[in-house]
Amino acid sequence: MQLHPIAHIDLAALQHNLACVKQVAPDSRIMSVVKANAYGHGLVDVARALSASDAFTVARLSEGLLLREAGIEHAIVVLEGVNTVSDLQLAAENDISLVFTTLLQIELVLSTTLSKALLFCWVMAETGMHRLGIPAEKLDQAIQSLKRAENIADSIGLMSHFANADLLRDERNQHQLDQIMQCAKQHRLSVSMANSAAILSFPESHADWIRPGIMLYGSSPFKMQSASSLNLKPVMKLTSTLIAIQNLKTGDEVGYGGDWVAEHDTRVGIVNIGYGDGYSRQLSNTGSVKIHNKIAAVLGRVSMDMIAIDLSHILHAKEGDDVVLWGCEQLPIEDVANKANTISYELLCQISERVRREYHG
Ligand SMILES: *Cc1c(COP(=O)(O)O)cnc(C)c1O
């Protein structure tokens, strides 16, 4: 009996989703977002499968270096930029492009001499997110100095990030886009603005480079629209194994704190997955799983390594049977995320090292 959960990664689905991106935004170049271990799917295997991308985008330099170590030759863009001279040097040596996100980062690149110049870089403009980005009143000067910077061989592009792209026709999106487009026109810069939600719902924002993340992994960025209605295919199916069966009597309690009490005699299954694998503890007493093509409720608290499920209506279930946690038709990850009071992004990223990734297709 296999005693560990598996994240089955469907590389053909990943490629299908990339093809969808191209179909929706045929005139833009694609920097596929593979930060956070490719949203939990495995950085290097995902990047290899997405070789039809024009570039890869990561959050941190360390992720870009892992791609280079694995022999990935695409352009790589580090969204957070870097904050030390040694990291600037590492980025330059490894042909990794940076996004300059603060005045401090710009001062750093202007005041150092690198042994090799950086390739095409980006400047992040603050347009409404108030996270990282150069504020409007400092932007012209920042762009002019980066354009002249000796440590940057090629030109620079203009980037910003929508704060509300998942809200359809929200006027704040248009406002952010207007600011970027005006600045890009003035300085003749190429633009990158759109994440998955904007790619799917706001074609005016596509511009030169798009940055799809979640849609590549086959999950919907919208609360009210399913992935299948967007023609996206889920890439990860998370499964584990039924490892024990308990026959509870009326009044018996399940798990820590006895948060679930049997109201009648109940057949309870123990499944080998818990929050130590990234199965959210928020799913205590509210989640559900699939076994023998039927849905079974999660009973009591999710523990670190196990959950309990209700097998009252699945009498032929036995030890060793497969259990699906998400990624099938009856259990889309968006629904699981809703129940856990979070978004699919978080569930995917939380899948821990302990879960074996198996690649198919
Ligand atoms: C994570 C990220 C993306 C990708 O967003 P999705 O919603 O997953 O498509 C794009 N741009 C930036 C700046 C990001 O941080």
Side-chain angles (χ1 to χ4, degrees):
M1 198 195 308
Q2 145 215 316
L3 281 180
H4 51 79
I6 299 177
H8 304 264
I9 310 294
D10 181 349
L11 297 174
L14 195 62
Q15 289 166 346
H16 163 90
N17 297 332
L18 178 61
C20 284
V21 173
K22 288 194 184 198
Q23 210 169 33
V24 180
D27 301 324
S28 305
R29 283 193 277 177
I30 300 175
M31 36 174 132
S32 292
V33 182
V34 293
K35 60 188 177 185
N37 198 24
Y39 292 46
H41 293 68
L43 175 66
V44 171
D45 292 275
V46 164
R48 290 204 178 114
L50 293 178
S51 63
S53 312
D54 300 290
F56 292 114
T57 307
V58 291
R60 312 224 171 109
L61 179 63
S62 56
E63 299 172 310
L65 293 171
L66 287 175
L67 288 173
R68 283 286 179 255
E69 274 166 35
I72 302 288
E73 291 180 346
H74 289 65
I76 295 174
V77 181
V78 176
L79 285 171
E80 292 179 7
V82 299
N83 287 313
T84 64
V85 172
S86 57
D87 279 355
L88 271 177
Q89 185 67 36
L90 265 178
E93 280 164 13
N94 288 280
D95 291 336
I96 292 177
S97 301
L98 299 175
V99 182
F100 289 90
T101 65
T102 63
L103 293 173
L104 211 66
Q105 290 182 344
I106 295 177
E107 276 163 32
L108 195 68
V109 78
L110 295 178
S111 63
T112 331
T113 310
L114 301 176
S115 64
K116 183 180 176 192
L118 291 156
L119 299 182
F120 188 93
C121 282
W122 294 87
V123 60
M124 177 69 83
E126 163 47 43
T127 58
M129 185 74 160
H130 296 110
R131 199 171 59 173
L132 290 176
I134 310 298
E137 66 276 12
K138 299 273 168 64
L139 193 55
D140 287 339
Q141 204 201 332
I143 290 169
Q144 275 154 11
S145 48
L146 285 174
K147 270 182 162 175
R148 287 195 301 264
E150 291 192 350
N151 286 327
I152 301 175
D154 299 324
S155 180
I156 57 162
L158 184 62
M159 184 182 284
S160 195
H161 192 47
F162 287 117
N164 303 285
D166 56 323
L167 305 178
L168 302 181
R169 285 174 289 283
D170 189 298
E171 62 189 29
R172 288 171 292 185
N173 296 327
Q174 186 65 50
H175 183 64
Q176 284 191 269
L177 183 62
D178 289 345
Q179 290 180 69
I180 277 296
M181 288 309 188
Q182 196 199 340
C183 177
K185 198 171 158 197
Q186 184 191 336
H187 293 278
R188 302 212 184 128
L189 301 179
S190 48
V191 166
S192 174
M193 194 67 196
N195 58 359
S196 298
I199 291 166
L200 290 163
S201 70
F202 194 14
E204 301 91 311
S205 73
H206 289 174
D208 304 285
W209 284 89
I210 52 175
R211 307 190 303 269
I214 196 74
M215 70 181 291
L216 290 172
Y217 306 100
S219 176
S220 169
F222 307 114
K223 210 169 165 73
M224 305 306 285
Q225 256 175 300
S226 69
S228 61
S229 76
L230 298 164
N231 189 27
L232 300 173
K233 293 187 180 164
V235 173
M236 182 192 292
K237 181 165 109 177
L238 182 64
T239 69
S240 196
T241 313
L242 187 66
I243 53 171
I245 291 174
Q246 303 277 349
N247 290 301
L248 269 60
K249 298 265 174 272
T250 305
D252 285 347
E253 300 175 348
V254 167
Y256 290 116
D259 270 5
W260 188 86
V261 184
E263 286 176 2
H264 43 79
D265 293 359
T266 309
R267 202 157 175 266
V268 170
I270 305 301
V271 182
N272 208 26
I273 195 161
Y275 62 78
D277 303 295
Y279 190 77
S280 174
R281 195 165 170 279
Q282 298 292 318
L283 292 163
S284 298
N285 262 326
T286 61
S288 45
V289 306
K290 190 183 87 167
I291 177 167
H292 283 278
N293 239 355
K294 290 202 171 107
I295 295 296
V298 172
L299 305 180
R301 289 187 202 165
V302 171
S303 354
M304 190 183 290
D305 316 303
M306 280 167 265
I307 57 173
I309 60 171
D310 184 358
L311 292 178
S312 304
H313 56 305
I314 313 171
L315 295 175
H316 53 296
K318 57 182 188 313
E319 289 93 337
D321 285 350
D322 283 341
V323 178
V324 181
L325 290 314
W326 68 59
C328 60
E329 212 174 303
Q330 295 104 309
L331 272 181
I333 189 165
E334 292 85 357
D335 292 3
V336 180
N338 255 337
K339 283 193 173 166
N341 248 321
T342 184
I343 50 177
S344 59
Y345 297 71
E346 187 182 18
L347 293 186
L348 291 169
C349 288
Q350 273 175 353
I351 291 301
S352 74
E353 283 279 307
R354 196 166 71 166
V355 176
R356 187 198 289 173
R357 273 88 174 156
E358 282 186 4
Y359 295 89
H360 312 270

